[in-house]
């Protein structure tokens, strides 16, 4: 009987050792699988970020493709008599015809008298130039828009902002 108990104990001990070895093996496999899942998750997140960037770029390209304004620039000058700022703005269009007319609209943020418009002169090559007279009182942020008239079609496009009109003044 004692021999049977020894044999049973030995078999139980052997089975416990086998189960312990299998348990460590499974733990390693689970750890490897967790690492694979983590790597896959990071890869998916990178792909999603890349796709979001591509979508944003395509959206921007589509919005820009619809714009008539190709480029614009400005040159500021101080008007001492009027105590203001004269900003000469040049707008280049993607498409234009002989009867295309352009008007420059400006809005000074937060100012009651901070709106104005100026006709722009066509140079024959798709560029239009006009001068905006901006008062120096009030806001320092000025928003510029272009009102484009092509025959019967009138369209307004934002050119952007002059963020700090004080920075446009000549240095003292």
């Amino acid at each position: 009987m004692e021999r049977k108990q020894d044999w049973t104990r030995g078999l139980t001990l052997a089975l416990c050792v086998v189960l312990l070895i299998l348990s460590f093996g499974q733990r390693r496999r689970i750890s490897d699988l967790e690492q694979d899942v983590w790597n896959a998750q990071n890869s998916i997140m990178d792909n999603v970020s890349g796709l979001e960037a591509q979508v944003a770029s395509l959206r921007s390209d589509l919005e820009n493709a619809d714009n008539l304004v190709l480029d614009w620039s400005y040159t500021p000058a101080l008007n001492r008599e009027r105590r203001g700022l004269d900003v000469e703005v040049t707008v280049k269009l993607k498409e234009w015809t002989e009867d295309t007319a352009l008007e420059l609209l400006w809005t000074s943020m937060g100012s009651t008298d901070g709106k104005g418009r100026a006709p722009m002169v066509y140079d024959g090559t798709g560029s239009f130039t006009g001068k905006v007279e901006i008062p120096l009182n009030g806001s320092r942020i000025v928003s510029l828009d272009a009102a484009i008239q092509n025959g019967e079609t009138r369209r307004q496009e934002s050119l952007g902002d002059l963020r700090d009109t004080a920075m446009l003044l000549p240095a003292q």
Side-chain angles (χ1 to χ4, degrees), residues 12 24 36-37 42 74 78 85 107 109 115 133 145 148 170:
T12 303
F24 283 128
D36 290 347
V37 168
N42 284 340
Y74 64 91
L78 183 62
L85 190 63
T107 305
M109 308 297 176
K115 285 188 174 193
E133 298 175 353
D145 291 337
I148 305 162

Side-chain angles (χ1 to χ4, degrees), residues 39-168:
N39 289 340
Q41 185 179 13
N42 284 340
S43 177
I44 289 170
M45 293 304 290
D46 289 344
N47 289 341
V48 167
S49 295
L51 288 173
E52 287 174 346
Q54 286 178 341
V55 166
S57 175
L58 288 173
R59 183 175 289 136
S60 174
D61 289 347
L62 284 174
E63 289 172 0
N64 290 338
D66 194 35
N67 289 345
L68 290 177
V69 174
L70 179 65
D71 193 18
W72 71 283
S73 61
Y74 64 91
T75 306
L78 183 62
N79 185 328
R80 292 180 193 266
E81 293 174 13
R82 199 179 44 78
R83 302 196 90 161
L85 190 63
D86 292 341
V87 180
E88 184 176 279
V89 179
T90 303
V91 175
K92 177 99 173 146
L93 297 180
K94 289 180 188 175
E95 301 172 5
W96 67 94
T97 60
E98 299 261 340
D99 64 342
T100 300
L102 205 106
E103 189 174 40
L104 188 62
L105 310 173
W106 63 271
T107 305
S108 181
M109 308 297 176
S111 178
T112 57
D113 63 340
K115 285 188 174 193
R117 53 184 52 218
M120 299 190 81
V121 179
Y122 177 57
D123 73 352
T125 65
S127 289
F128 293 79
T129 305
K131 185 174 16 173
V132 178
E133 298 175 353
I134 301 171
L136 291 177
N137 59 351
S139 174
R140 293 178 180 238
I141 299 174
V142 176
S143 175
L144 297 175
D145 291 337
I148 305 162
Q149 180 84 33
N150 276 333
E152 297 293 318
T153 307
R154 182 171 173 87
R155 185 172 172 173
Q156 186 170 324
E157 291 186 21
S158 174
L159 298 176
D161 295 335
L162 304 176
R163 282 282 170 202
D164 189 356
T165 54
M167 295 301 292
L168 301 176

Side-chain angles (χ1 to χ4, degrees), residues 10-30:
L11 182 60
T12 303
L13 181 62
L15 287 174
C16 285
V17 168
V18 168
L19 285 175
L20 188 61
I21 291 171
L22 287 174
S23 174
F24 283 128
Q26 291 293 42
R27 180 183 243 174
R28 177 183 273 175
R29 283 184 182 171
I30 289 172

